[in-house]
Amino acid sequence: MADTSAAKFPLKLLVDKERNRVIFAEADKDFIDVLFTFLTFPMGSIIRLLGNKSGIGSMDRLYQSVANLDERCFNTPACRSMLLHPRSAAEICCKGLAIDVDSDSEPWIYYRCRSSCKSLSLSPVFGARCSCGGTAETPVLASPSLGAEGSKKGFVVDGVNFIVSDDLLVQPASIGTSLGLINELGVEDGNVLEKKVVHLGREEG
Ligand SMILES: [Zn+2]
């Protein structure tokens, strides 16, 4: 799999240089797919990726509680692991994008019980308890084509440009949409507008 951790890609911004704010960004599939990836994250992943500083209610404390609790408090060690490293049903669609926001997850890996076990069940969690009493520890490589959308990468269609406002409203790009956002923010003098290109990588994401 290609290492996308250091990848950077350009994003076109329209900036109000007088008030030093972004009016909107013009983006193609690469950026929009990465943006939509955030909707697929389970709560535990959001907190982990933000270093336990998500600020979402008391969720950081809840996550820390699970991390601090003794393993004996859980049905199996895998129960704690799946809370701290939950996996998304959409993770296969999220791999191979311009930025891999959650590079810790390995979407192709599932686990099965020992070879003598008759159960064909697979688990996304290492060490999950099998019905035979054993644990799923043997890695099985899933095919990328098992993604919900076959072999297509990401979520949105290729070849369509989008406009993203600074509060993350995403709309198909059109002159009407652009002018609407400029008007909405009260920009009357077009001379204050400036185009800028920024380069985004995993950290910025
Ligand atoms: Zn088994």
Side-chain angles (χ1 to χ4, degrees):
M1 189 185 303
D3 177 13
T4 57
S5 59
K8 297 253 178 185
F9 65 93
L11 184 66
K12 286 184 222 161
L13 303 178
L14 188 68
V15 176
D16 177 346
K17 56 188 178 186
E18 203 169 67
R19 294 185 217 179
N20 195 27
R21 63 180 177 180
V22 175
I23 306 288
F24 60 75
E26 192 183 329
D28 60 10
K29 174 180 170 61
D30 280 349
F31 180 74
I32 302 299
D33 276 339
V34 171
L35 204 54
F36 284 173
T37 295
F38 292 105
L39 292 175
T40 73
F41 287 161
M43 183 67 77
S45 298
I46 296 171
I47 294 165
R48 177 174 51 81
L49 287 167
L50 294 174
N52 235 1
K53 290 176 185 158
S54 73
I56 305 171
S58 298
M59 288 295 143
D60 296 320
R61 284 170 67 80
L62 195 61
Y63 187 89
Q64 198 56 51
S65 306
V66 174
N68 292 344
L69 275 172
D70 192 285
E71 217 163 69
R72 286 171 297 185
C73 295
F74 296 91
N75 276 332
T76 68
C79 288
R80 184 167 75 169
S81 170
M82 69 178 74
L83 292 170
L84 296 177
H85 293 86
R87 290 177 64 172
S88 156
E91 63 187 4
I92 283 182
C93 292
C94 301
K95 287 294 167 186
L97 301 184
I99 298 175
D100 187 359
V101 181
D102 185 6
S103 59
D104 290 350
S105 71
E106 298 175 279
W108 325 121
I109 307 285
Y110 286 78
Y111 301 92
R112 58 155 297 158
C113 195
R114 56 182 176 256
S115 56
S116 58
C117 173
K118 291 191 169 58
S119 169
L120 296 174
S121 301
L122 297 175
S123 170
V125 181
F126 177 85
R129 182 78 50 81
C130 175
S131 54
C132 77
T135 49
E137 295 182 1
T138 305
V140 177
L141 208 55
S143 163
S145 64
L146 291 178
E149 294 304 323
S151 58
K152 281 186 184 169
K153 218 167 55 170
F155 302 100
V156 298
V157 291
D158 211 352
V160 175
N161 278 345
F162 296 85
I163 294 287
V164 186
S165 68
D166 69 337
D167 59 355
L168 295 186
L169 178 67
V170 178
Q171 304 173 79
S174 72
I175 292 172
T177 308
S178 308
L179 291 176
L181 284 170
I182 291 169
N183 285 336
E184 219 171 85
L185 292 173
V187 178
E188 287 169 0
D189 179 5
N191 291 323
V192 303
L193 298 177
E194 184 181 44
K195 281 184 179 175
K196 271 189 179 177
V197 177
V198 293
H199 290 82
L200 295 180
R202 182 166 183 265
E203 286 304 310
E204 291 82 0

